[in-house]
Amino acid sequence: MPEIQEQTSARPDSVPPAPGVRDLDELLALAPAALSALYQRASVPALDEVRGDLRGRMLATTVLGGAAARFARSWASSNLFVWRGKSFMPGTTAEGEGINRVMVDRLRLFRFETFIGPSRAGDFDALQLDYDLPENPFFIRPIKDELRQLRDGLYLGQAYLSLRGAETLVLYFGLTR
């Protein structure tokens, strides 16, 4: 696990709402460039604020284009999409853990560890989700997610694939209470 870092950026008492974005459906309508801009302006959540079962939705892929990207977005917005969200269990103010919910909320797979650390998307911090754990399958371990808060109870995430020393942003996802 990477060295645990204390949160270094100042955090206001309440998170200012992202302009015009109220829920996952509104995030789903945005292109990757707009999601990127929102992510840059969002704040880093404290670990104890991201607790319990959050409903998730894949929002956009950055590695597919055209019809494949439209199909992925359509599938992600349907009830047939297998990923249901993430469950978070903060341990301390500096680290915690979580797991993904798939197919049904009771099926929990692919555990991750959480900590606040530097974002891959810019000169700011994000809540890091690290899947490089011995119990995860080899194809899950190179995934590195990040999460930032848009407003109370609404989070925007980026998923990176780390292969051969290069980290590639592959998709955006949203989480809500």
Side-chain angles (χ1 to χ4, degrees), residues 59-74:
L59 302 172
T61 177
T62 61
V63 294
L64 300 175
R70 287 190 299 279
F71 172 77
R73 187 175 271 201
S74 176

Side-chain angles (χ1 to χ4, degrees), residues 75-148:
W75 181 41
S77 66
S78 78
N79 288 334
L80 300 175
F81 197 65
V82 297
W83 182 62
R84 298 292 184 221
K86 296 181 185 293
S87 298
F88 292 87
M89 291 117 342
T92 68
T93 58
E95 62 184 321
E97 64 180 274
I99 197 158
N100 284 277
R101 298 188 321 280
V102 295
M103 304 287 275
V104 293
D105 280 333
R106 290 185 312 266
L107 183 56
R108 294 169 186 246
L109 299 171
F110 314 129
R111 191 173 75 83
F112 52 85
E113 293 179 340
T114 60
F115 58 95
I116 303 297
S119 175
R120 293 160 184 83
D123 190 21
F124 47 82
D125 285 343
L127 176 59
Q128 301 293 320
L129 287 65
D130 184 0
Y131 292 88
D132 192 9
L133 304 172
E135 69 264 27
N136 285 333
F138 73 93
F139 56 89
I140 296 297
R141 293 182 70 175
I143 296 172
K144 309 291 183 211
D145 289 348
E146 295 186 6
L147 198 65
R148 290 181 50 88

Side-chain angles (χ1 to χ4, degrees), residues 50-67:
V50 185
R51 175 185 304 275
D53 294 347
L54 300 181
R55 187 169 61 89
R57 175 170 282 167
M58 187 193 84
L59 302 172
T61 177
T62 61
V63 294
L64 300 175

